[in-house]
Amino acid sequence: MPDASPDGRSGSVPPGALRVAITPIAPFVMPQTAAPEGFSVDLWNEIARRLHVQFTWTTVPTRADLLPAIQRGDADVAIAAITMTPEREKLVDFSLPYFDSGLQIVVRAQNDNAFVSALSSVPWLSILQLVAIAIAIVFLLANLVWLLERKHDPRFRKPYLRAIGEGVWVTMLIIATGEHGERDAANLWRRLLVPAMWLIGVVLIAQLTATVTSSQTVARLQSNIRGPDDLPGKSIGTVPGTAAADYLNQRGLPFVNVNTATDGISMLMRGDVQAIVYDAPTLQYWAAKRGHGVLAVVGPIFRPEKYGIVVTNGNGLRKKINEALLSMYEDGTYEQIYGKWFSSR
């Protein structure tokens, strides 16, 4: 994204203007907007107004790129949803905290009605595909029965469609019972065809059973996630280079990389992951605004975090930002901005 003036319009960088690094992370910096929008964006706009400073927005790809942009001198200020940690305090300076956060877990929503929940956990598309394959196999086997029996059995000398109907019936009987009839007079082809057809039926039924069972097992495992203590043994997704990733690494919990909200929602719906661990306000926003009722944020907020505004070490701008934040807390401006993006505390 090109640099933009405080009102969001693209343009050249004014002399002496601060370069403010941001990255998309809803609802602090909204993704895919023509001009920067979000809670952190509104907060910085007000701070800049009170400090009487000009600035330009500089968008970086991910949260992990914000601090390096400050360290390299590519930006003067960074704001989005940057967690304050002792390790980061050694690299950059943080303002006073402006948001209390923490980690939380989002899973695929479970229906309270056990019957409805069981139905919703059935992989209907996979079952339809399997049924279509089974129908095709039965039809082919029915044709094979017709070709082999039409010289010996009058029932298979009828018009093609009626004869194939007989073939389908014989095929289904073989699959269900493992027998063709005429046990004593069975010829070689029947001795070969009957067990082969029966085996095919066993494989199809086993595949159907495995498909339904595995899906319901995943649903049961997912429904058992109620907090961080339930995460071991589950498939987890999170954004790399974040406090959530650090938390999972410290606990020895492997995770799948999640790059965007759309990716995370899709991964949950496909069953690629059973839970996503990430910053609580962002997960709550995903569930409320983009989850369409299929996502549920579960468990308490854990590993409390605070977000701060970042400047380079020793930068005198930090004191001015803190003074502006304190004045916003005192006169109620902060609460007005907060209320715009979040429900009341």
Side-chain angles (χ1 to χ4, degrees), residues 39-322:
F39 172 73
S40 293
V41 172
D42 286 353
L43 192 76
W44 176 256
N45 280 332
E46 178 61 21
I47 291 173
R49 188 188 70 79
R50 296 185 181 219
L51 297 183
H52 306 289
V53 296
Q54 292 184 306
F55 68 94
T56 59
W57 298 113
T58 299
T59 302
V60 299
T62 67
R63 293 172 74 182
D65 298 310
L66 288 168
L67 265 61
I70 295 292
Q71 292 177 285
R72 291 193 306 265
D74 295 337
D76 304 299
V77 178
I79 184 171
I82 307 174
T83 303
M84 304 170 68
T85 66
E87 294 76 16
R88 291 175 176 178
E89 289 275 11
K90 298 175 184 178
L91 304 175
V92 294
D93 276 348
F94 281 91
S95 69
L96 293 171
Y98 71 86
F99 195 91
D100 291 330
S101 180
L103 302 182
Q104 211 163 8
I105 302 168
V106 67
V107 299
R108 187 172 175 177
Q110 297 294 308
N111 195 302
D112 292 337
N113 186 302
F115 178 72
V116 174
S117 180
L119 287 179
S120 63
S121 68
V122 175
W124 295 109
L125 180 58
S126 298
I127 290 177
L128 288 175
Q129 293 173 340
L130 189 59
V131 168
I133 293 172
I135 290 173
I137 291 174
V138 168
F139 180 74
L140 291 174
L141 293 174
N143 276 272
L144 181 59
V145 170
W146 171 65
L147 289 173
L148 294 172
E149 291 283 8
R150 61 181 178 173
K151 295 180 180 179
H152 312 287
D153 193 329
R155 293 176 300 169
F156 293 92
R157 296 172 189 164
K158 303 174 183 178
Y160 175 74
L161 291 180
R162 295 179 63 186
I164 289 301
E166 292 289 344
V168 169
W169 175 244
V170 170
T171 301
M172 297 300 293
L173 285 177
I174 293 175
I175 291 175
T177 66
E179 296 184 2
H180 181 275
E182 301 181 20
R183 185 179 303 176
D184 297 332
N187 56 28
L188 179 61
W189 79 261
R190 285 178 180 167
R191 295 180 186 275
L192 296 175
L193 183 61
V194 169
M197 293 172 69
W198 177 81
L199 182 60
I200 290 172
V202 169
V203 170
L204 289 173
I205 294 172
Q207 181 61 42
L208 176 62
T209 303
T211 299
V212 175
T213 302
S214 63
S215 176
Q216 293 184 331
T217 299
V218 169
R220 285 194 297 270
L221 288 172
Q222 182 171 282
S223 66
N224 289 333
I225 300 175
R226 290 292 180 265
D229 292 339
D230 299 323
L231 291 174
K234 308 299 193 298
S235 55
I236 310 166
T238 196
V239 178
T242 62
D246 293 341
Y247 171 83
L248 294 174
N249 285 327
Q250 290 169 5
R251 296 192 63 186
L253 298 175
F255 60 85
V256 179
N257 290 348
V258 176
N259 297 316
T260 66
T262 301
D263 289 344
I265 294 170
S266 298
M267 292 166 70
L268 278 173
M269 296 309 299
R270 292 195 305 265
D272 295 340
V273 296
Q274 295 164 260
I276 291 178
V277 178
Y278 199 46
D279 292 19
T282 299
L283 292 185
Q284 292 166 7
Y285 180 84
W286 285 7
K289 302 296 184 180
R290 306 191 61 181
H292 305 296
V294 298
L295 299 182
V297 179
V298 298
I301 294 177
F302 55 98
R303 192 176 179 176
E305 304 170 344
K306 294 182 182 294
Y307 294 159
I309 302 170
V310 177
V311 296
T312 54
N313 276 326
N315 193 325
L317 184 61
R318 175 189 184 185
K319 181 179 179 181
K320 296 179 181 179
I321 292 173
N322 286 342

